[in-house]
Amino acid sequence: MAISAGGYTDDDDVRVAIDTGWTLIATFLIFLMQVGFMMLEIGAVTKKNAVSVLVKNFLDVSVATACWWFVGYPLAYDTDHIA
């Protein structure tokens, strides 16, 4: 087990890579889930209300992303992250 710059071991680098990869996969799946909900909701409304459903889903993703950025990230990674 070699120590790299900064005092981290090679095992720590692998753990960070796996954690980052899993976070990206989970994020991708969540965005696909949002697309699925959007299609489900558009199929349940009339044609004239489709744009309203698209706007609602876009706002949902935007608000959730902003909340994660300002609240979730600092809690999850224990940082003083302020954009």
Side-chain angles (χ1 to χ4, degrees):
M1 183 170 12
I3 303 291
S4 62
Y8 293 109
T9 63
D10 291 336
D11 291 339
D12 291 335
D13 293 338
V14 170
R15 285 189 194 114
V16 168
I18 290 171
D19 286 346
T20 302
W22 175 248
T23 302
L24 290 173
I25 290 169
T27 302
F28 178 72
L29 291 174
I30 288 170
F31 279 114
L32 279 179
M33 183 179 68
Q34 291 292 330
V35 171
F37 283 137
M38 180 188 61
M39 287 196 257
L40 175 71
E41 292 175 11
I42 286 178
V45 299
T46 60
K47 190 174 183 177
K48 69 177 186 167
N49 294 329
V51 173
S52 297
V53 170
L54 289 172
V55 170
K56 181 189 76 73
N57 280 287
F58 178 74
L59 287 173
D60 177 41
V61 168
S62 299
V63 168
T65 301
C67 287
W68 166 254
W69 185 262
F70 291 113
V71 177
Y73 185 86
L75 288 174
Y77 295 105
D78 193 27
T79 65
D80 295 328
H81 177 75
I82 297 174

